[in-house]
């Protein structure tokens, strides 16, 4: 009787399953992805589409006028000043990327392979994140009393008798811009590289040593090739952040240098929104091309 009673509900459930509404298996995956698609469409794709639409509008000192004009793009791409600013931005990007990659790799290498205890690794890694408890602006302007004409560096060098007068190019120069950006964005290179290095099987090192490889050969032929996905992810972070940075360039250069983001910021302050939107579209295309080139060189799917 117990067996018959337990079989009846299962038969009833089977009839309900057969007779009720069933979602096709092919549509289940689309329904699962629908919430993410709605969020990305609302907060990511829609704003980009609006910027692209506004970039074709006309404008004057009084307002914006919906239209379809290529004037903003021709003025942007046809000006030698714009090309010079883009080259200056790319110069900052390449220099900051090279320095952050060099510093970030060795910091991650030290944490991954020279610190034995996991607890110590985590503590040192958290120490690296302490500056992120303050805003970028505070961390950036903290360099001013250090690099200024009467700052810590110049005062120390003069008192030691190494220089007769303060060094002027330490602050409000391209050097100050690069230094501040490296300080701000190095951790974005450390984190993915450290994550990649921690996944490397340590038995590979033993096999390389048994084959007669030296420490530098292990680094060049084992560690660096396996760390490329982390380097690529860190490169994407640093490149996009530097290309979109305007506050660091404005403050640390003292208005003597320029970047694409700073140019857009100045255009928006003058209510030239269509021109700024055209620059934003061009900048987005440039960054996407750079990211696509990185993804062609390194397959970051190994890290995802």
């Amino acid at each position: 009787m117990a067996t018959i009673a337990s079989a009846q509900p299962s038969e009833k459930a089977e009839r309900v399953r057969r007779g009720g509404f069933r979602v096709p298996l092919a549509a289940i995956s689309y329904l699962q992805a629908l919430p993410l698609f709605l969020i990305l469409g609302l907060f990511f794709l829609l704003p980009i589409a609006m910027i692209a639409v506004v970039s074709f509008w006309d404008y004057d000192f009084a307002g914006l006028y919906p239209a379809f004009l290529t004037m903003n793009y021709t003025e942007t791409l046809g000006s030698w000043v714009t090309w010079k600013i883009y080259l200056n931005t790319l110069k900052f990007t390449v220099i900051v990327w090279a320095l952050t990659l060099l510093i970030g790799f060795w910091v991650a290498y030290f944490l991954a392979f020279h610190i034995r205890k996991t607890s110590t690794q985590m503590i040192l890694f958290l120490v690296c994140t302490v500056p992120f408890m303050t805003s970028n602006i505070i961390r950036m302007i903290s360099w001013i009393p250090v690099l200024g004409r009467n700052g810590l560096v110049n005062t120390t060098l003069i008192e030691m008798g190494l220089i007769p007068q303060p060094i002027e190019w330490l602050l409000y120069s391209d050097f100050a811009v690069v230094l501040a950006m490296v300080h701000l964005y190095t951790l974005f290179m450390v984190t993915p590289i450290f994550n990649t290095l921690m996944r490397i099987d340590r038995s590979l090192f033993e096999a390389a040593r048994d084959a007669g490889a030296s420490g530098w050969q292990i680094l060049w032929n084992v560690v660096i090739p396996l760390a490329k996905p982390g380097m690529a992810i860190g490169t994407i972070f640093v490149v996009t952040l530097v290309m979109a940075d305007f506050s660091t360039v404005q403050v640390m250069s003292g208005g003597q240098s320029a970047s694409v983001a700073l140019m857009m910021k100045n255009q928006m302050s003058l209510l030239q929104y269509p021109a700024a939107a055209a620059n934003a579209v061009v900048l987005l295309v440039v960054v996407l091309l750079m990211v696509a080139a990185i993804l062609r060189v390194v397959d970051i799917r190994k890290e995802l």
Side-chain angles (χ1 to χ4, degrees):
M1 294 296 293
T3 304
I4 297 175
S6 61
Q8 290 178 350
S10 61
E11 293 176 358
K12 183 177 181 180
E14 182 69 16
R15 289 195 300 270
V16 171
R17 185 184 67 82
R18 290 181 178 179
F21 176 74
R22 291 193 301 172
V23 179
L25 294 177
I28 293 178
S29 59
Y30 292 99
L31 291 176
Q32 292 174 338
L34 183 60
L36 178 61
F37 178 77
L38 293 176
I39 293 174
L40 292 178
L42 181 62
F43 297 105
F44 181 71
L45 297 178
L46 182 59
I48 293 177
M50 293 175 63
I51 292 174
V53 170
V54 173
S55 67
F56 292 99
W57 287 9
D58 193 9
Y59 69 95
D60 56 20
F61 67 94
L64 308 178
Y65 307 101
F68 187 80
L69 304 174
T70 60
M71 172 187 65
N72 299 314
Y73 289 96
T74 55
E75 290 181 352
T76 297
L77 299 177
S79 173
W80 67 271
V81 176
T82 302
W83 287 101
K84 186 177 180 180
I85 293 175
Y86 268 90
L87 290 176
N88 195 54
T89 305
L90 291 175
K91 178 190 72 174
F92 286 141
T93 302
V94 172
I95 296 175
V96 173
W97 166 76
L99 292 175
T100 54
L101 179 61
L102 179 64
I103 299 172
F105 178 81
W106 287 113
V107 171
Y109 184 87
F110 175 79
L111 292 176
F113 299 133
H114 288 274
I115 304 299
R116 300 300 181 182
K117 294 183 178 179
T118 305
S119 59
T120 307
Q121 287 178 342
M122 294 300 102
I123 291 173
L124 292 177
F125 184 76
L126 290 175
V127 169
C128 294
T129 64
V130 167
F132 281 78
M133 297 181 182
T134 59
S135 67
N136 283 3
I137 302 298
I138 294 176
R139 285 183 288 142
M140 175 183 59
I141 63 177
S142 65
W143 284 103
I144 294 179
V146 177
L147 303 177
R149 180 178 177 85
N150 298 318
L152 180 62
V153 174
N154 277 320
T155 302
T156 303
L157 293 177
I158 292 175
E159 290 180 353
M160 294 176 62
L162 298 178
I163 56 174
Q165 57 185 5
I167 302 174
E168 300 291 342
W169 52 265
L170 288 179
L171 187 62
Y172 302 136
S173 62
D174 290 350
F175 169 79
V177 173
V178 171
L179 180 63
M181 286 185 174
V182 171
H183 173 219
L184 293 175
Y185 304 137
T186 297
L187 188 62
F188 291 96
M189 189 69 75
V190 173
T191 303
I193 296 177
F194 174 72
N195 185 47
T196 304
L197 294 180
M198 289 298 294
R199 297 184 180 185
I200 297 178
D201 188 358
R202 300 304 192 268
S203 62
L204 296 175
F205 302 154
E206 298 297 331
R209 292 190 187 97
D210 293 340
S214 63
W216 287 104
Q217 288 175 328
I218 294 174
L219 174 65
W220 184 258
N221 296 313
V222 179
V223 177
I224 292 180
L226 294 177
K228 285 182 179 179
M231 294 180 183
I233 295 174
T235 298
I236 293 174
F237 286 154
V238 172
V239 166
T240 53
L241 288 170
V242 174
M243 293 290 288
D245 193 330
F246 67 89
S247 59
T248 306
V249 178
Q250 183 178 20
V251 174
M252 300 306 293
S253 70
Q256 301 181 43
S257 189
S259 67
V260 180
L262 181 58
M263 178 174 60
M264 289 189 292
K265 183 253 185 184
N266 293 333
Q267 288 173 332
M268 287 187 291
S269 64
L270 297 174
L271 303 182
Q272 298 175 357
Y273 293 109
N279 271 307
V281 172
V282 174
L283 179 62
L284 177 62
V285 172
V286 172
V287 172
L288 289 179
L289 290 176
M290 297 173 69
V291 172
I294 295 170
L295 297 180
R296 288 295 298 268
V297 175
V298 180
D299 184 10
I300 66 171
R301 289 177 296 180
K302 299 178 182 178
E303 195 67 15
L304 301 179

